[in-house]
Amino acid sequence: FSFAGKKNRFSDSKNGHLFFEILRVLKARRPKMFLLENVKGIKSLENGETIKNIIQSLQSLNYSIYDTVLNSYDFGVPQKRERWFCAGFDRDIHFEFPRGNQAGSKLRDIVDINEKDAKLRLPDRELTLIADHFNSNEKRVKHAWPYSRPDSKIGKHGVYSYLKPDNTLRFHVGDFAKSQIQDFYYVSLDSVAPAIIVTRAPKMWDLKRWLSLLECKRLQGFPDNFKFNGVTDGVGKKQLGNAVTVQVVEAIMKNMLIDYEKGVRSLLAFN
């Protein structure tokens, strides 16, 4: 359902059938409650038909369904990560998702400025682009881009960089759409990271490096002592990109447990 997954939805041969496995497990085991998560874009796929089919399928199993979109940034981590959450209950209850009220953290809160691992250093080509931006007196800097064909979009319009008010450095095609070039998007100590995803870990223009595995763990709310056994740092970052932000899920599940217990008490009192 995500851009990283090419949005093949239910027809995806690798992961598209997992939702039907969820339905099978719910029907066979009948848990009191469950929590699902996916990308925000799932709500708009096929003009809303995908999410409509998902919710109706869950309701057909006699579950009360609540869904919303929450941003990890609102729960105390310096990451703008909007995700769709769906809570289901085996009875009618009144449920409310938590409202994050801890926005305001920056990457400075989780980054080790003394980290010197050479493997994290950005490629020379990217360091040159960053230097060219800050060596210019222009706010919007045009860059030489010898890797594109003259008849391509980049060849026609050029590539420009711009330091946004939020201290992120963006590179985009210079047409009116200003399409962002995802591989050339940089954060800083005084900014917030975009969502960490399977295909991309954040890069920092001021420290001239990628975030480390430890910093990516912190970005997702994992404790420093959480272990990735037998995997490389690259695989660990991919796993974190597929993970959920700990603080968000912790807050949701706390509300689920409290509201479910209230619902059971109300039913007992009524009977």
Side-chain angles (χ1 to χ4, degrees):
F1 301 104
S2 68
F3 287 103
K6 301 180 181 179
K7 298 193 294 183
N8 289 329
R9 301 181 287 279
F10 297 116
S11 63
D12 186 276
S13 59
K14 184 178 180 181
N15 297 318
H17 297 283
L18 288 177
F19 177 67
F20 302 110
E21 286 296 289
I22 291 172
L23 294 178
R24 183 181 67 82
V25 171
L26 292 176
K27 185 176 181 179
R29 304 304 300 173
R30 197 67 191 167
K32 292 181 172 62
M33 63 187 84
F34 61 85
L35 178 62
L36 307 180
E37 179 261 8
N38 213 296
V39 293
K40 176 185 176 182
I42 197 173
K43 291 178 67 71
S44 57
L45 285 176
E46 297 179 321
N47 295 317
E49 285 300 309
T50 297
I51 197 70
K52 179 180 177 181
N53 290 336
I54 287 174
I55 291 176
Q56 287 180 345
S57 297
L58 296 169
Q59 290 173 332
S60 71
L61 299 179
N62 294 319
Y63 279 97
S64 299
I65 302 300
Y66 298 82
D67 74 304
T68 192
V69 172
L70 297 175
N71 192 335
S72 297
Y73 179 66
D74 297 326
F75 290 81
V77 297
Q79 177 187 190
K80 293 288 182 71
R81 184 185 188 89
E82 292 185 294
R83 289 296 184 267
W84 172 78
F85 291 92
C86 175
F89 304 88
D90 68 349
R91 64 189 66 223
D92 290 329
I93 71 166
H94 175 72
F95 174 71
E96 291 186 4
F97 281 96
R99 293 186 177 183
N101 58 0
Q102 301 178 57
S105 61
K106 302 292 184 184
L107 283 168
R108 187 181 296 277
D109 299 327
I110 67 162
V111 166
D112 179 6
I113 60 173
N114 296 313
E115 174 62 72
K116 303 298 182 183
D117 187 347
K119 296 192 298 294
L120 297 175
R121 184 179 183 272
L122 295 176
D124 289 340
R125 179 195 172 198
E126 296 187 40
L127 293 176
T128 297
L129 289 172
I130 294 171
D132 288 346
H133 174 87
F134 288 102
N135 288 334
S136 173
N137 293 323
E138 302 294 327
K139 288 186 176 181
R140 187 167 173 260
V141 181
K142 185 173 183 178
H143 295 267
W145 214 266
Y147 309 97
S148 57
R149 301 189 316 271
D151 60 341
S152 68
K153 191 173 184 181
I154 292 177
K156 290 178 181 179
H157 302 287
V159 173
Y160 293 81
S161 60
Y162 177 67
L163 185 64
K164 298 193 68 176
D166 63 1
N167 273 303
T168 60
L169 181 63
R170 313 286 184 99
F171 284 74
H172 59 79
V173 179
D175 63 347
F176 290 110
K178 295 184 179 179
S179 304
Q180 181 176 301
I181 301 175
Q182 288 289 346
D183 286 341
F184 296 93
Y185 175 122
Y186 303 93
V187 296
S188 69
L189 287 169
D190 293 312
S191 69
V192 175
I196 178 174
I197 60 176
V198 173
T199 56
R200 184 184 71 234
K203 304 174 181 182
M204 305 191 69
W205 62 258
D206 50 354
L207 297 184
K208 300 180 175 58
R209 66 172 176 84
W210 277 281
L211 290 187
S212 68
L213 178 62
L214 174 61
E215 291 159 348
C216 287
K217 284 195 292 186
R218 293 170 179 171
L219 201 60
Q220 281 284 58
F222 283 75
D224 286 2
N225 61 1
F226 184 87
K227 301 296 183 183
F228 287 92
N229 293 322
V231 302
T232 64
D233 284 5
V235 172
K237 289 179 181 180
K238 288 182 179 180
Q239 292 178 350
L240 287 167
N242 264 333
V244 291
T245 306
V246 174
Q247 289 91 329
V248 179
V249 174
E250 184 178 38
I252 296 173
M253 294 180 69
K254 181 178 180 180
N255 280 20
M256 290 175 70
L257 291 167
I258 291 172
D259 289 351
Y260 189 88
E261 184 178 358
K262 287 180 180 177
V264 170
R265 288 178 178 176
S266 296
L267 181 62
L268 293 173
F270 178 79
N271 290 334

